[in-house]
Amino acid sequence: MTTAVQRPARRPVPPKPPRTRGRVLGWIVAALVLAAHLAAWRATEISASALVEGATGMVDFLSEAVPPDFGADVLAESAAASVVTLWIGLLGTTLSIPGSLVLALLATRGTAPGWVYQAARGLLSFLRAVPDVVFALIFVTAVGLGPFPGVLALLCHNVGVMGKLWAEALEEADPGPAQALRSAGAGRVQVAAHALLPVVTPQLVGLLLYRFDVNVRSSLVLGLVGAGGIGFLINQSIQLFQFDELLTHILVVLVLIVVVDQLSALARRLLGSAP
């Protein structure tokens, strides 16, 4: 006599949760984003008619700027000023390395006491929040016109930015070697020197090259407020309505930026291929 195999009873499929709540939340977010864009559009006074009306002025500017002035004197002055701009960016980057490294270590969890960590984070936030142009205006007032205030401005601002980037890189490092040294009784300085920095050095150098690229561009803007370099010549050409010389300076800046980009890319490739 065979017994029938009892099949397990089918359990009812639970109903899918309603998606009404998610849809409502999505519509609310979309409405908020749209409202923010409408408010920004009105606050920035964007006007298509003003752009159309200003087209005549752009045509006049281009007619006066083209062809650029490729005279020997203008090119020599522009090339010399672009080299000064490059030096401002270079010194503003390299001179900020000691301060950035010290503040980065102090702003990394585990390498400094709690109150020191908070103070270092606050100082980095302050240096990063103040634009380099504001620093340039302050130092131009203090030490006068020229490249020197531009170097000081980039140095102060770059310490805040690079210190923050380096601190984040240190915190994202592999915690294994650091924990091993701490368990062996190593101090904070020993942990930083032998466990953290050797691991993240390539990343720190890559971030340094990135900041050098950015600082060369920033030094151009600093020249507009009297901090020397080719930005000072651009501002002078605008004030004197010498638009053909202005276009020459812009083209020289373009060449400078391309050269800096290529050198930075080459350095990154060499860094990446190094054992």
Side-chain angles (χ1 to χ4, degrees), residues 226-246:
I230 198 169
F232 181 78
L233 295 182
I234 291 177
N235 188 32
Q236 187 179 39
S237 299
I238 293 174
Q239 293 178 349
L240 297 177
F241 299 100
Q242 296 174 342
F243 298 127
D244 53 348
E245 293 186 6
L246 170 63

Side-chain angles (χ1 to χ4, degrees), residues 11 19 32 48 62 66 72 89 101 162 164 166 186 218 243 268:
R11 296 181 180 179
R19 299 181 179 179
L32 292 175
L62 292 176
V66 179
L101 184 59
M162 200 159 62
K164 169 69 171 177
W166 281 3
S218 298
F243 298 127
R268 291 188 184 96

Side-chain angles (χ1 to χ4, degrees), residues 3-273:
T3 56
V5 178
Q6 294 182 354
R7 296 180 179 180
R10 293 183 178 180
R11 296 181 180 179
V13 179
K16 295 182 179 180
R19 299 181 179 179
T20 306
R21 183 177 179 182
R23 291 177 179 176
V24 171
L25 182 60
W27 281 110
I28 292 175
V29 172
L32 292 175
V33 172
L34 178 61
H37 279 77
L38 291 176
W41 187 281
R42 296 185 60 182
T44 54
E45 300 179 358
I46 294 179
S47 173
S49 60
L51 183 61
V52 173
E53 294 174 359
T56 304
M58 289 298 300
V59 171
D60 295 339
F61 166 76
L62 292 176
S63 63
E64 296 180 12
V66 179
D69 187 355
F70 286 138
D73 295 338
V74 176
L75 281 176
E77 185 181 23
S78 185
S82 66
V83 173
V84 173
T85 297
L86 179 63
W87 296 153
I88 293 174
L90 177 65
L91 292 178
T93 304
T94 55
L95 294 181
S96 64
I97 291 177
S100 301
L101 184 59
V102 171
L103 288 177
L105 291 173
L106 295 179
T108 302
R109 290 184 179 88
T111 60
W115 67 272
V116 175
Y117 169 83
Q118 295 297 335
R121 285 279 175 169
L123 181 56
L124 288 176
S125 298
F126 170 76
L127 294 175
R128 194 170 64 255
V130 179
D132 47 13
V133 175
V134 176
F135 277 125
L137 290 172
I138 295 173
F139 287 119
V140 163
T141 304
V143 301
L145 300 174
F148 183 41
V151 173
L152 295 177
L154 285 181
L155 190 156
C156 292
H157 184 71
N158 198 61
V159 165
V161 176
M162 200 159 62
K164 169 69 171 177
L165 294 175
W166 281 3
E168 293 179 352
L170 289 170
E171 289 187 348
E172 294 175 358
D174 183 10
Q179 292 175 357
L181 285 180
R182 290 192 187 98
S183 62
R188 299 179 188 271
V189 177
Q190 292 174 320
V191 170
H194 300 288
L196 293 178
L197 289 178
V199 175
V200 299
T201 295
Q203 187 175 357
L204 299 186
V205 175
L207 292 171
L208 178 66
L209 292 173
Y210 166 73
R211 285 304 305 171
F212 169 64
D213 193 5
V214 173
N215 286 336
V216 171
R217 291 172 169 83
S218 298
S219 60
L220 168 65
V221 180
L222 299 184
L224 299 177
V225 296
I230 198 169
F232 181 78
L233 295 182
I234 291 177
N235 188 32
Q236 187 179 39
S237 299
I238 293 174
Q239 293 178 349
L240 297 177
F241 299 100
Q242 296 174 342
F243 298 127
D244 53 348
E245 293 186 6
L246 170 63
L247 183 56
T248 302
H249 300 324
I250 293 175
L251 293 176
V252 172
V253 168
L254 177 61
V255 173
L256 174 65
I257 296 302
V258 170
V259 171
V260 171
D261 285 340
Q262 294 300 319
L263 291 177
S264 298
L266 177 61
R268 291 188 184 96
R269 288 195 297 270
L270 294 176
L271 181 64
S273 62

